Amino acid sequence: MKQLEHIRVVLIDTTHPGNIGAAARAMKVMGLHRLVLVRPRHFPNATASAMASGAADILATAEVVDSLDAAIADCQLVLGTSARPRSLDWPMLTSHQAALYMHQAMLADRSVNQAALLFGTESVGLSNEQLQRCHYRIEIPANPDYSSLNLSQAVQVISYELRQVFLAEAGSALQILPDTADALAGHQSVESFMQRLQQMIVQLEILNPAQPKMLMQRLRRIFLRAKLEASEVNILQGIVSAVLAVDPNERRNDQ
Ligand code: SAH
Protein backbone atom coordinates (compact mmCIF):
# COMPACT_ATOMS: atom_id res chain seq x y z
CA MET A 1 0.00 0.00 0.00
CA LYS A 2 1.82 3.06 -1.28
CA GLN A 3 0.32 5.51 1.19
CA LEU A 4 2.07 3.84 4.12
CA GLU A 5 5.43 4.82 2.58
CA HIS A 6 4.73 8.33 3.84
CA ILE A 7 4.73 7.16 7.45
CA ARG A 8 8.07 6.57 9.18
CA VAL A 9 8.74 4.72 12.39
CA VAL A 10 11.33 6.48 14.55
CA LEU A 11 13.00 4.44 17.32
CA ILE A 12 14.86 6.65 19.79
CA ASP A 13 17.88 5.53 21.85
CA THR A 14 17.05 1.86 21.43
CA THR A 15 19.17 -0.21 23.79
CA HIS A 16 18.47 -3.79 22.67
CA PRO A 17 19.31 -4.51 19.03
CA GLY A 18 16.83 -7.42 19.05
CA ASN A 19 14.05 -4.88 19.44
CA ILE A 20 15.20 -3.02 16.32
CA GLY A 21 15.04 -6.25 14.32
CA ALA A 22 11.68 -7.26 15.76
CA ALA A 23 10.32 -3.76 15.06
CA ALA A 24 11.46 -4.03 11.43
CA ARG A 25 9.61 -7.31 11.10
CA ALA A 26 6.52 -5.88 12.79
CA MET A 27 6.54 -3.01 10.30
CA LYS A 28 7.06 -5.08 7.18
CA VAL A 29 4.23 -7.52 7.87
CA MET A 30 1.90 -4.52 8.03
CA GLY A 31 3.31 -2.80 4.95
CA LEU A 32 5.38 -0.06 6.61
CA HIS A 33 8.89 0.38 5.24
CA ARG A 34 10.59 3.48 6.51
CA LEU A 35 12.60 2.99 9.70
CA VAL A 36 14.66 5.78 11.26
CA LEU A 37 16.97 5.04 14.20
CA VAL A 38 18.03 7.86 16.51
CA ARG A 39 21.31 7.00 18.29
CA PRO A 40 20.79 3.18 18.39
CA ARG A 41 23.21 1.66 20.90
CA HIS A 42 24.08 -1.31 18.65
CA PHE A 43 23.43 -1.13 14.92
CA PRO A 44 24.02 -2.82 12.53
CA ASN A 45 23.98 -5.93 14.65
CA ALA A 46 23.64 -9.70 14.23
CA THR A 47 20.85 -10.02 16.81
CA ALA A 48 18.89 -7.27 15.07
CA SER A 49 19.24 -9.13 11.75
CA ALA A 50 18.22 -12.45 13.30
CA MET A 51 15.09 -10.93 14.86
CA ALA A 52 14.19 -9.14 11.61
CA SER A 53 14.00 -12.49 9.80
CA GLY A 54 12.50 -11.71 6.38
CA ALA A 55 12.58 -7.97 6.99
CA ALA A 56 16.32 -7.57 6.35
CA ASP A 57 15.52 -5.01 3.64
CA ILE A 58 13.94 -2.70 6.24
CA LEU A 59 17.16 -2.81 8.28
CA ALA A 60 19.31 -2.35 5.18
CA THR A 61 17.48 0.85 4.24
CA ALA A 62 17.05 2.14 7.82
CA GLU A 63 18.39 5.65 8.33
CA VAL A 64 20.58 6.29 11.37
CA VAL A 65 20.61 9.85 12.69
CA ASP A 66 21.95 11.51 15.82
CA SER A 67 19.00 13.69 16.77
CA LEU A 68 15.24 13.47 16.88
CA ASP A 69 14.95 16.82 15.08
CA ALA A 70 16.93 15.39 12.15
CA ALA A 71 14.69 12.31 12.04
CA ILE A 72 11.49 14.33 11.69
CA ALA A 73 12.67 17.58 10.03
CA ASP A 74 10.31 17.32 7.04
CA CYS A 75 7.29 15.85 8.89
CA GLN A 76 4.08 17.85 9.22
CA LEU A 77 2.61 15.37 11.68
CA VAL A 78 4.51 13.84 14.60
CA LEU A 79 2.91 11.35 16.99
CA GLY A 80 4.68 10.05 20.08
CA THR A 81 3.77 6.73 21.66
CA SER A 82 3.78 6.50 25.42
CA ALA A 83 2.06 4.32 27.95
CA ARG A 84 1.68 6.96 30.62
CA PRO A 85 0.60 10.58 30.86
CA ARG A 86 3.28 13.17 31.65
CA SER A 87 3.63 16.18 33.90
CA LEU A 88 1.91 18.49 31.44
CA ASP A 89 -1.21 17.04 29.90
CA TRP A 90 -0.61 16.49 26.19
CA PRO A 91 -3.37 15.89 23.63
CA MET A 92 -3.91 12.11 23.48
CA LEU A 93 -5.27 9.67 20.94
CA THR A 94 -5.67 5.93 21.36
CA SER A 95 -3.82 3.83 18.80
CA HIS A 96 -7.03 3.34 16.82
CA GLN A 97 -7.96 7.01 16.91
CA ALA A 98 -4.41 7.84 15.78
CA ALA A 99 -4.77 5.62 12.71
CA LEU A 100 -8.07 7.30 11.83
CA TYR A 101 -6.54 10.73 12.40
CA MET A 102 -3.56 9.96 10.17
CA HIS A 103 -5.81 8.69 7.45
CA GLN A 104 -7.92 11.82 7.63
CA ALA A 105 -4.94 14.21 7.64
CA MET A 106 -3.01 12.42 4.90
CA LEU A 107 -5.73 11.29 2.51
CA ALA A 108 -8.90 13.29 3.14
CA ASP A 109 -7.62 16.73 4.21
CA ARG A 110 -4.30 16.20 2.42
CA SER A 111 -2.60 18.55 4.85
CA VAL A 112 0.18 16.07 5.67
CA ASN A 113 2.46 14.19 3.30
CA GLN A 114 5.10 13.01 5.77
CA ALA A 115 4.21 11.67 9.21
CA ALA A 116 6.32 10.16 11.99
CA LEU A 117 5.57 7.74 14.81
CA LEU A 118 8.02 8.00 17.70
CA PHE A 119 8.92 5.17 20.05
CA GLY A 120 10.96 5.74 23.20
CA THR A 121 13.84 3.94 24.80
CA GLU A 122 13.10 0.65 26.58
CA SER A 123 13.96 1.77 30.10
CA VAL A 124 12.14 5.10 30.40
CA GLY A 125 10.18 5.71 27.19
CA LEU A 126 10.00 9.13 25.53
CA SER A 127 11.32 12.06 27.54
CA ASN A 128 9.09 15.08 28.12
CA GLU A 129 11.23 17.05 25.69
CA GLN A 130 10.73 14.42 22.98
CA LEU A 131 7.01 14.21 23.64
CA GLN A 132 6.70 17.97 23.40
CA ARG A 133 7.74 17.79 19.77
CA CYS A 134 4.61 15.74 19.06
CA HIS A 135 1.16 16.88 17.98
CA TYR A 136 -0.35 14.03 19.95
CA ARG A 137 0.63 11.34 22.39
CA ILE A 138 -0.60 7.91 21.30
CA GLU A 139 -1.58 5.42 23.94
CA ILE A 140 -2.28 1.76 23.31
CA PRO A 141 -5.17 1.21 25.72
CA ALA A 142 -3.63 -1.66 27.66
CA ASN A 143 -4.19 -3.07 31.16
CA PRO A 144 -3.97 -0.02 33.45
CA ASP A 145 -2.17 -2.15 36.05
CA TYR A 146 0.55 -3.09 33.55
CA SER A 147 0.39 -1.04 30.41
CA SER A 148 3.97 -1.05 29.16
CA LEU A 149 4.39 -3.17 26.04
CA ASN A 150 7.70 -4.39 24.72
CA LEU A 151 8.98 -1.82 22.19
CA SER A 152 8.60 -4.00 19.10
CA GLN A 153 5.17 -5.18 20.22
CA ALA A 154 4.08 -1.56 20.52
CA VAL A 155 5.34 -1.02 16.95
CA GLN A 156 3.29 -4.07 15.93
CA VAL A 157 0.04 -2.83 17.45
CA ILE A 158 0.33 0.66 15.95
CA SER A 159 1.33 -0.69 12.50
CA TYR A 160 -1.60 -3.09 12.60
CA GLU A 161 -4.07 -0.32 13.43
CA LEU A 162 -2.73 1.76 10.57
CA ARG A 163 -3.00 -1.07 8.10
CA GLN A 164 -6.61 -1.80 9.04
CA VAL A 165 -7.67 1.81 8.59
CA PHE A 166 -5.69 2.43 5.40
CA LEU A 167 -6.81 -0.95 3.92
CA ALA A 168 -10.45 -0.13 4.49
CA GLU A 169 -9.99 2.83 2.15
CA ALA A 170 -7.58 1.18 -0.27
CA GLY A 171 -10.13 1.03 -3.06
CA SER A 172 -10.88 4.74 -2.98
CA ALA A 173 -9.16 7.21 -5.26
CA LEU A 174 -7.69 9.20 -2.37
CA GLN A 175 -4.04 10.09 -2.91
CA ILE A 176 -1.43 11.63 -0.64
CA LEU A 177 -0.10 14.99 -1.76
CA PRO A 178 3.24 14.83 -3.54
CA ASP A 179 6.11 16.01 -1.33
CA THR A 180 6.46 19.28 -3.18
CA ALA A 181 2.86 20.36 -2.67
CA ASP A 182 1.77 22.90 -0.10
CA ALA A 183 1.05 20.97 3.09
CA LEU A 184 1.23 22.14 6.72
CA ALA A 185 4.54 23.54 7.95
CA GLY A 186 7.16 20.87 8.60
CA HIS A 187 8.72 20.15 11.98
CA GLN A 188 11.98 21.98 11.22
CA SER A 189 10.36 25.34 10.50
CA VAL A 190 7.98 25.12 13.48
CA GLU A 191 10.90 24.11 15.72
CA SER A 192 13.07 26.98 14.54
CA PHE A 193 10.18 29.38 15.28
CA MET A 194 9.83 27.85 18.75
CA GLN A 195 13.55 28.39 19.47
CA ARG A 196 13.35 32.05 18.42
CA LEU A 197 10.16 32.55 20.41
CA GLN A 198 11.97 31.24 23.48
CA GLN A 199 14.88 33.60 22.80
CA MET A 200 12.39 36.46 22.54
CA ILE A 201 10.55 35.80 25.78
CA VAL A 202 13.84 35.34 27.64
CA GLN A 203 15.01 38.68 26.32
CA LEU A 204 11.69 40.29 27.26
CA GLU A 205 12.16 38.78 30.75
CA ILE A 206 8.85 36.96 30.48
CA LEU A 207 10.73 33.67 30.82
CA ASN A 208 13.41 33.28 33.44
CA PRO A 209 15.75 30.50 32.22
CA ALA A 210 16.67 29.77 35.85
CA GLN A 211 13.00 29.16 36.66
CA PRO A 212 11.31 28.26 33.38
CA LYS A 213 8.22 26.66 34.96
CA MET A 214 5.99 25.24 32.21
CA LEU A 215 5.77 28.33 30.03
CA MET A 216 7.61 27.02 26.97
CA GLN A 217 5.75 23.71 27.17
CA ARG A 218 2.43 25.54 27.24
CA LEU A 219 3.41 27.67 24.26
CA ARG A 220 4.50 24.55 22.39
CA ARG A 221 1.13 22.97 23.07
CA ILE A 222 -0.66 26.01 21.65
CA PHE A 223 1.41 26.20 18.47
CA LEU A 224 1.33 22.45 17.82
CA ARG A 225 -2.43 22.43 18.34
CA ALA A 226 -2.72 25.24 15.79
CA LYS A 227 -1.29 23.03 12.99
CA LEU A 228 0.40 25.99 11.34
CA GLU A 229 0.75 26.45 7.61
CA ALA A 230 4.12 27.47 6.22
CA SER A 231 2.97 31.04 5.52
CA GLU A 232 1.67 31.36 9.09
CA VAL A 233 5.04 30.30 10.52
CA ASN A 234 6.62 33.01 8.35
CA ILE A 235 4.31 35.66 9.83
CA LEU A 236 5.15 34.57 13.38
CA GLN A 237 8.88 34.44 12.60
CA GLY A 238 8.60 37.99 11.22
CA ILE A 239 7.03 39.24 14.44
CA VAL A 240 9.66 37.58 16.61
CA SER A 241 12.48 38.88 14.41
CA ALA A 242 11.09 42.42 14.68
CA VAL A 243 11.07 42.20 18.48
CA LEU A 244 14.54 40.65 18.62
CA ALA A 245 15.88 43.38 16.32
CA VAL A 246 15.18 46.01 19.02
CA ASP A 247 18.19 46.55 21.27
CA PRO A 248 17.13 45.36 24.77
CA ASN A 249 18.75 48.45 26.36
CA GLU A 250 16.75 50.75 24.13
CA ARG A 251 13.58 48.90 25.07
CA ARG A 252 14.33 49.38 28.78
CA ASN A 253 14.92 53.11 28.28
CA ASP A 254 11.51 53.41 26.70
CA GLN A 255 9.72 52.02 29.73
N1 SAH B 1 9.26 1.88 30.76
C1 SAH B 1 8.81 2.83 29.82
C2 SAH B 1 8.14 2.14 28.67
C3 SAH B 1 9.08 1.80 27.63
S1 SAH B 1 8.37 0.65 26.53
C4 SAH B 1 7.79 3.76 30.43
O1 SAH B 1 7.42 3.54 31.55
O2 SAH B 1 7.39 4.72 29.77
C5 SAH B 1 9.15 1.19 25.04
C6 SAH B 1 8.27 2.01 24.14
O3 SAH B 1 7.17 1.23 23.67
C7 SAH B 1 7.64 3.24 24.73
O4 SAH B 1 8.53 4.33 24.78
C8 SAH B 1 6.52 3.48 23.75
O5 SAH B 1 7.05 4.06 22.58
C9 SAH B 1 6.04 2.07 23.43
N2 SAH B 1 4.94 1.63 24.30
C10 SAH B 1 4.95 0.68 25.24
N3 SAH B 1 3.73 0.54 25.80
C11 SAH B 1 2.92 1.43 25.21
C12 SAH B 1 1.52 1.77 25.33
N4 SAH B 1 0.71 1.16 26.21
N5 SAH B 1 1.04 2.75 24.54
C13 SAH B 1 1.82 3.36 23.66
N6 SAH B 1 3.14 3.10 23.49
C14 SAH B 1 3.68 2.12 24.24
Side-chain angles (χ1 to χ4, degrees), residues 24 28 49 52-61:
K28 186 169 177 181
S49 300
S53 191
D57 54 326
I58 307 280
L59 293 186
T61 53

Side-chain angles (χ1 to χ4, degrees), residues 193 196 200 230-245:
F193 161 65
R196 303 254 299 155
M200 181 186 89
S231 59
E232 293 169 333
V233 176
N234 286 342
I235 295 172
L236 294 168
Q237 279 280 26
I239 295 171
V240 170
S241 296
V243 176
L244 285 172

Side-chain angles (χ1 to χ4, degrees), residues 35-58:
L35 177 62
V36 185
L37 305 171
V38 181
R39 300 174 297 255
R41 186 175 292 177
H42 306 286
F43 189 80
N45 174 275
T47 309
S49 300
M51 291 300 283
S53 191
D57 54 326
I58 307 280

Side-chain angles (χ1 to χ4, degrees), residues 9-248:
V9 167
V10 180
L11 305 184
I12 305 172
D13 290 315
T14 313
T15 322
H16 300 294
N19 279 336
I20 297 177
R25 181 176 187 169
M27 289 167 61
K28 186 169 177 181
V29 291
M30 294 300 155
L32 285 157
H33 293 284
R34 190 154 175 206
L35 177 62
V36 185
L37 305 171
V38 181
R39 300 174 297 255
R41 186 175 292 177
H42 306 286
F43 189 80
N45 174 275
T47 309
S49 300
M51 291 300 283
S53 191
D57 54 326
I58 307 280
L59 293 186
T61 53
E63 298 150 64
V64 179
V65 295
D66 61 8
S67 76
L68 172 57
D69 286 329
I72 58 175
D74 59 331
C75 292
Q76 301 92 12
L77 179 63
V78 182
L79 304 173
T81 59
S82 154
R84 50 195 170 98
R86 299 308 169 107
S87 43
L88 180 66
D89 225 15
W90 215 250
M92 194 275 280
L93 298 172
T94 66
S95 37
H96 184 63
Q97 289 167 338
L100 293 171
Y101 183 84
M102 290 176 93
H103 186 272
Q104 175 76 25
M106 301 182 85
L107 285 155
D109 301 345
R110 304 179 87 206
S111 57
V112 169
N113 58 44
Q114 291 294 336
L117 293 162
L118 313 189
F119 293 84
T121 186
E122 292 94 335
S123 52
V124 290
L126 292 177
S127 67
N128 285 334
E129 204 192 319
Q130 289 160 353
L131 199 60
Q132 282 156 17
R133 280 162 165 66
C134 300
H135 292 93
Y136 293 94
R137 178 172 78 82
I138 307 184
E139 191 173 308
I140 299 167
N143 175 2
D145 296 332
Y146 187 49
S147 61
S148 179
L149 282 79
N150 161 270
L151 172 60
S152 66
Q153 291 171 349
V155 172
Q156 186 70 85
V157 171
I158 306 270
S159 308
Y160 169 80
E161 292 277 15
L162 276 171
R163 184 167 187 81
Q164 302 322 300
V165 170
F166 278 69
L167 257 190
E169 301 282 348
S172 80
L174 294 175
Q175 290 293 327
I176 293 184
L177 280 179
D179 286 353
T180 49
D182 195 20
L184 292 177
H187 168 78
Q188 192 169 34
S189 67
V190 177
E191 191 56 33
S192 114
F193 161 65
M194 229 71 95
Q195 302 295 337
R196 303 254 299 155
L197 178 70
Q198 177 163 356
Q199 215 180 322
M200 181 186 89
I201 60 176
V202 168
Q203 199 183 91
L204 292 173
E205 296 174 9
I206 296 169
L207 178 72
N208 174 0
Q211 261 196 320
K213 308 224 175 86
M214 294 292 233
L215 184 55
M216 239 2 253
Q217 286 88 326
R218 286 178 191 282
L219 288 169
R220 275 183 173 279
R221 203 169 51 175
I222 295 172
F223 288 112
L224 286 174
R225 189 168 63 219
K227 316 240 164 63
L228 299 167
E229 292 175 13
S231 59
E232 293 169 333
V233 176
N234 286 342
I235 295 172
L236 294 168
Q237 279 280 26
I239 295 171
V240 170
S241 296
V243 176
L244 285 172
V246 178
D247 181 339

